[in-house]
């Protein structure tokens, strides 16, 4: 359809905003490599039982503390378990928990921020003061307190991390909404007969979403760190489960004598985080082309 | 009795400011006949947009009554308000900010149809969207374009198509052409006029541009600081200009000729503050005919000539009537 347009335009019209963003993202090599890495990690996590060469829980006391070789790519740990397999299975937990945490934070923060920005008044004041209180507490400390009271497990760790992160999304959403709220197309929507919910969800949130998406990508990496940190101190996902932080924590005792146990989980965390950060940066540039030029 | 579509009685809209109530619209009364156009003119800040927004229901009136087809719509409940959206629509001033930048043209026009769930099937709805695009003179190939890819005139056509989607009887046009180029202004005004002829629409055209209202209105209302100072037939206003403020306003229209030269009626001084104004003639401090009387009481609107209302103490002396 776009080829029929007679009027001269600078660029070919794209079918949707999504494909336009993807087009710009595609030109950013670093972001594309990161995206590939992330997809690889996600695929490895999903198909862990096919990818991983060994069972992550299978102990082999004859082959403890093996250094990396072709049989055991990252060596074996203190119980003779294959570290590489454990890292791959661990990706499941780390990714799932961090994605759930960020999802809770985004949805909660976006709804709170959008409503408090849109309605203003007393409701806004109350929500903002509560967020102030949340922001005053260091987020990791908050996560420690919440997961200590809720107990260990995937959902409670995710929730513990989400609460601390929510305030960031709430503030971003609120400030975007404040900008959008007074534009004429909101009034136009009111005149059209749109309900308040429709205005918030159809008119305001889609326009305020790009900073949220960018920040969500960046936050996934801090969620991974947070969940690793929680597991490291024993509050996240309990020991036999090969979460990355748990692996690190288990390797701590042998850090001087046997380096593979801490190094490889650490490298896995670092690669994942860098990939998410670079993708986030790329997304930001792609969604707001003005930033880059 | 004339078939009045809209009656506004003693409408007031005050905004609360830290320094007291700001009288944006102060005691305005008028009626519009079905199929007619009322032009509202006045300088920036005189409350003309507030008047439009109060009538359409975007702002809650402070006092007074608005009747639409004989029914009181001053304080409608949620359900009634939504129903009214089918009958009354608005065309906005700025076609750049009044359209959601994330929606393509077809989605923008379909929005009211979706809200009121007029059509069960998307196909029927698309059909109607294309029909509306034809009506407002938008080429169908723009259906998948985004607003930022179109020029001002086309965007304004989208706004008009949206307003027309539910077949309203009454449209408030808030500065419909002031953000457009002169050549496009004429196109959009002609479009509005054609639509009126075809569909019997009733308009309020709010503008600061007298040549616009002259072109399109049946009646013209001149506002000054929230008050109506003169109201009459559109032709009459340009022939018998009675209020000193309107005279100043009219002489500000540029005359496209070099031969004819009229001494301009210049207005001096600044607007008085609309916050808590004293009950005097609000134009007094800028009026060269100002007397004691003007500084003591506010002039009432009176019918000086048949159908020609003016609010000025000295209108007869000034104009030798």
């Amino acid at each position: 359809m776009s080829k029929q347009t007679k009027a001269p335009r600078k660029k070919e019209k794209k079918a949707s905003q999504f494909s336009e963003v993807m087009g710009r993202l595609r030109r950013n090599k670093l972001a594309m490599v990161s995206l590939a890495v992330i997809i690889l990690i996600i695929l490895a996590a999903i198909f862990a039982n096919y990818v991983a060469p060994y069972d992550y829980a299978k102990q082999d006391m004859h082959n403890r503390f093996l250094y990396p070789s072709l049989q055991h790519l990252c060596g074996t740990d203190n119980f003779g378990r294959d570290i590489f397999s454990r890292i791959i299975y661990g990706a499941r937990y780390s990714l799932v928990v961090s994605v759930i945490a960020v999802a809770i934070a985004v949805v909660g923060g976006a709804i709170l921020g959008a409503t408090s920005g849109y309605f203003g008044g007393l409701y806004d004041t109350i929500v903002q003061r509560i967020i102030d209180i949340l922001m005053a507490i260091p987020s990791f400390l908050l996560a420690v307190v919440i997961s200590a009271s809720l107990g260990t497990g995937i959902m409670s760790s995710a929730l513990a991390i989400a609460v601390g992160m929510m305030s960031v999304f709430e503030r971003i959403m609120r400030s975007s909404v404040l900008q959008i709220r007074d534009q004429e197309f909101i009034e136009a929507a009111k005149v059209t007969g749109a309900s308040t919910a429709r205005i918030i969800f159809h008119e305001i949130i889609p326009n305020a979403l790009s900073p949220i998406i960018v920040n969500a990508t960046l936050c996934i990496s801090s969620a991974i760190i947070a969940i690793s940190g929680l597991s490291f101190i024993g509050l996240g996902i309990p020991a036999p489960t090969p979460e990355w932080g748990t692996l690190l924590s288990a390797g701590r005792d042998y850090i001087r004598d046997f380096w593979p146990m801490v190094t490889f989980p650490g490298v896995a965390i670092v690669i994942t985080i860098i990939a998410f950060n670079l993708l986030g940066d790329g997304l930001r540039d792609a969604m707001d082309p003005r930033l880059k030029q | 009795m004339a078939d009045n579509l809209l009656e506004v009685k003693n409408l007031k809209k005050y905004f609360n400011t830290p320094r007291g109530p700001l009288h944006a619209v102060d005691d305005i009364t008028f009626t519009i006949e079905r199929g007619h156009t009322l032009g509202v003119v006045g300088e920036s800040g005189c409350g003309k947009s507030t008047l439009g927004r109060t009538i359409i229901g975007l702002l809650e009136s402070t006092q007074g009554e608005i009747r639409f087809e004989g029914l009181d719509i001053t304080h409608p409940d949620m359900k009634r308000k939504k129903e009214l959206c089918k009958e009354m629509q608005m065309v906005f001033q700025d076609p750049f900010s009044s359209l959601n930048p994330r929606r393509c043209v077809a989605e923008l026009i379909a929005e009211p149809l979706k809200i009121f769930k007029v059509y069960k099937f998307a196909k029927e709805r698309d059909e109607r969207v294309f029909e509306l695009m034809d009506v407002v003179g938008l080429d169908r190939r723009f259906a998948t374009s985004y607003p930022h890819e179109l020029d001002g005139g086309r965007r304004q056509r989208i706004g008009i198509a949206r307003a027309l989607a539910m077949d309203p009887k009454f449209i408030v046009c808030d500065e419909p052409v002031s953000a457009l180029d002169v050549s496009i202004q004429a196109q959009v005004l002609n479009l509005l006029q054609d639509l009126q002829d075809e569909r019997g629409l009733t308009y309020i055209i709010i503008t600061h541009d007298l040549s616009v209202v002259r072109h399109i209105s049946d009646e013209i209302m001149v506002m000054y600081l929230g008050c109506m100072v003169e109201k009459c037939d559109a032709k009459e206003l340009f022939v018998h200009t009675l209020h000193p403020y309107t005279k100043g306003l009219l002489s500000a229209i540029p005359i496209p000729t070099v031969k004819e030269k009229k001494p301009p009626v210049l207005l001096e001084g600044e607007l008085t503050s609309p916050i808590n104004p004293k009950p005097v003639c609000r134009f007094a401090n800028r009026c060269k005919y100002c007397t004691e009387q003007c500084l003591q009481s506010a002039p009432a609107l009176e019918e000086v000539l048949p159908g020609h209302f003016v609010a000025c103490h000295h209108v007869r002396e000034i104009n030798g009537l």
Side-chain angles (χ1 to χ4, degrees):
Chain A
M1 204 181 289
S2 63
K3 272 166 196 156
Q4 293 171 354
T5 50
K6 283 168 234 155
R9 279 202 205 126
K10 274 178 200 154
K11 59 176 192 289
E12 274 284 296
K13 198 165 66 59
K14 299 282 178 359
S16 74
Q17 226 134 11
F18 174 74
S19 61
E20 219 166 284
V21 167
M22 281 312 287
R24 279 200 291 268
L25 191 65
R26 216 164 283 151
R27 261 171 265 147
N28 185 338
K29 278 187 194 133
L30 220 51
M32 287 319 285
V33 171
S34 311
L35 188 64
V37 169
I38 290 168
I39 289 173
L40 210 68
I41 294 170
I42 292 173
L43 285 180
I46 293 172
F47 298 108
N49 27 356
Y50 301 106
V51 178
Y54 297 93
D55 180 2
Y56 70 89
K58 197 182 150 213
Q59 301 186 359
D60 185 356
M61 288 305 182
H62 298 293
N63 292 317
R64 297 165 64 200
F65 298 120
L66 287 185
Y67 280 93
S69 63
L70 279 178
Q71 268 90 48
H72 298 283
L73 280 175
C74 303
T76 55
D77 67 1
N78 51 335
F79 293 110
R81 295 173 295 195
D82 183 51
I83 296 177
F84 183 64
S85 307
R86 287 178 68 74
I87 289 174
I88 286 175
Y89 275 98
R92 275 190 182 175
Y93 298 94
S94 291
L95 285 179
V96 164
V97 173
S98 55
V99 167
I100 291 174
V102 170
I104 295 173
V106 165
V107 171
I111 289 175
L112 268 181
T115 47
S116 84
Y118 185 75
F119 294 114
L122 186 66
Y123 172 71
D124 182 36
T125 314
I126 293 172
V127 172
Q128 292 319 304
R129 293 302 77 77
I130 293 172
I131 297 292
D132 279 345
I133 294 169
L134 280 180
M135 284 181 115
I137 306 168
S139 57
F140 191 71
L141 197 64
L142 197 66
V144 167
V145 170
I146 294 172
S147 71
S149 60
L150 288 181
T152 55
I154 290 180
M155 275 320 278
S156 57
S157 324
L159 199 66
I161 296 163
V163 172
M165 246 181 240
M166 204 168 72
S167 50
V168 180
F169 290 106
E170 200 274 349
R171 283 287 152 92
I172 294 177
M173 196 64 184
R174 179 170 174 268
S175 63
S176 320
V177 169
L178 283 179
Q179 265 177 25
I180 297 164
R181 186 185 62 175
D182 293 326
Q183 286 192 29
E184 243 178 6
F185 69 86
I186 302 300
E187 266 189 344
K190 279 186 202 161
V191 171
T192 318
S195 60
T196 309
R198 194 180 173 93
I199 289 175
I200 292 178
F201 287 105
H202 281 230
E203 308 283 337
I204 292 181
I205 289 187
N207 279 296
L209 216 52
S210 47
I212 293 277
I213 291 173
V214 170
N215 211 56
T217 331
L218 296 174
C219 269
I220 283 188
S221 52
S222 39
I224 291 174
I225 296 184
I227 177 65
S228 302
L230 279 183
S231 304
F232 186 82
I233 58 172
L235 281 170
I237 292 161
T241 318
E243 202 281 324
W244 289 346
T246 324
L247 295 183
L248 272 185
S249 155
R252 183 181 43 170
D253 300 338
Y254 309 98
I255 194 165
R256 281 163 186 249
D257 316 311
F258 186 69
W259 59 268
M261 262 187 87
V262 281
T263 310
F264 290 111
V267 168
I269 294 174
V270 169
I271 290 176
T272 316
I273 289 167
I274 290 179
F276 272 108
N277 275 335
L278 290 176
L279 180 68
D281 282 346
L283 265 182
R284 185 181 55 215
D285 293 342
M287 282 184 164
D288 192 355
R290 280 164 298 177
L291 264 179
K292 190 133 202 195
Q293 276 128 35
Chain B
M1 193 190 139
D3 181 12
N4 288 333
L5 186 77
L6 186 84
E7 293 170 51
V8 173
K9 269 185 211 151
N10 303 97
L11 188 72
K12 290 178 186 176
K13 172 68 197 170
Y14 297 168
F15 291 105
N16 286 322
T17 65
R19 287 186 292 149
L22 186 151
H23 295 215
V25 173
D26 214 349
D27 209 1
I28 288 204
T29 303
F30 65 88
T31 55
I32 309 178
E33 267 180 60
R34 195 183 292 277
H36 280 221
T37 303
L38 173 72
V40 179
V41 284
E43 60 196 281
S44 335
C46 72
K48 50 194 195 307
S49 287
T50 310
L51 177 69
R53 269 151 217 249
T54 314
I55 292 170
I56 210 83
L58 278 173
L59 297 169
E60 188 100 337
S61 64
T62 312
Q63 226 181 64
E65 197 182 321
I66 307 167
R67 284 177 169 275
F68 183 75
E69 296 194 301
L71 296 169
D72 189 357
I73 58 156
T74 321
H75 303 286
D77 54 17
M78 290 297 280
K79 205 175 152 198
R80 180 96 182 94
K81 210 168 183 171
K82 200 170 171 185
E83 286 301 304
L84 276 171
C85 289
K86 290 189 200 170
E87 314 267 312
M88 306 169 86
Q89 272 300 324
M90 186 155 179
V91 173
F92 288 86
Q93 170 175 14
D94 185 358
F96 294 86
S97 68
S98 62
L99 299 170
N100 188 340
R102 300 259 158 174
R103 299 271 179 80
C104 72
V105 173
E107 285 175 318
L108 283 165
I109 299 176
E111 186 67 9
L113 303 171
K114 282 184 194 161
I115 289 170
F116 288 103
K117 302 188 176 71
V118 187
Y119 299 106
K120 233 181 187 168
F121 302 107
K123 211 174 167 191
E124 286 176 287
R125 196 170 59 217
D126 292 346
E127 209 44 49
R128 170 81 174 141
V129 168
F130 280 132
E131 201 184 298
L132 283 164
M133 287 177 76
D134 290 345
V135 168
V136 298
L138 259 179
D139 203 316
R140 289 185 181 201
R141 70 192 156 94
F142 293 122
T144 52
S145 303
Y146 285 87
H148 68 264
E149 297 169 325
L150 303 178
D151 61 46
R154 293 206 177 105
R155 288 171 178 220
Q156 198 57 294
R157 283 173 200 269
I158 302 172
I160 295 171
R162 255 170 84 104
L164 287 176
M166 298 307 300
D167 269 321
K169 296 176 179 140
F170 173 65
I171 298 181
V172 173
C173 306
D174 186 3
E175 305 260 15
V177 296
S178 66
L180 306 177
D181 288 345
V182 179
S183 55
I184 299 168
Q185 283 191 357
Q187 291 176 12
V188 170
L189 287 176
N190 286 335
L191 170 65
L192 286 172
Q193 231 163 9
D194 293 345
L195 290 171
Q196 181 168 42
D197 295 342
E198 274 167 37
R199 296 163 181 243
L201 293 169
T202 309
Y203 291 137
I204 287 185
I205 308 262
I206 296 165
T207 175
H208 59 263
D209 189 345
L210 276 159
S211 41
V212 169
V213 278
R214 179 185 211 165
H215 185 73
I216 199 169
S217 314
D218 297 302
E219 265 195 312
I220 295 180
M221 176 169 120
V222 182
M223 279 180 79
Y224 185 81
L225 272 180
C227 294
M228 190 197 293
V229 293
E230 188 161 3
K231 194 189 105 170
C232 66
D233 211 68
K235 284 184 195 116
E236 166 89 1
L237 186 81
F238 289 90
V239 181
H240 296 122
T241 317
L242 298 183
H243 196 282
Y245 175 64
T246 319
K247 287 182 183 181
L249 211 56
L250 285 190
S251 88
I253 304 178
I255 306 162
T257 163
V258 282
K259 283 173 193 153
E260 192 186 339
K261 271 198 182 145
K262 260 199 315 199
V265 183
L266 292 178
L267 294 179
E268 283 168 2
E270 268 298 319
L271 284 169
T272 41
S273 167
I275 294 170
N276 230 341
K278 293 188 196 87
V280 299
C281 176
R282 291 185 190 179
F283 186 56
N285 66 335
R286 296 173 77 183
C287 180
K288 58 180 174 183
Y289 307 104
C290 172
T291 59
E292 268 310 292
Q293 192 191 1
C294 303
L295 295 170
Q296 272 161 7
S297 63
L301 204 66
E302 41 176 335
E303 193 165 1
V304 180
L305 294 171
H308 194 148
F309 297 83
V310 181
C312 175
H313 289 304
H314 304 302
V315 58
R316 291 196 168 76
E317 301 142 47
I318 295 168
N319 296 290
L321 293 171

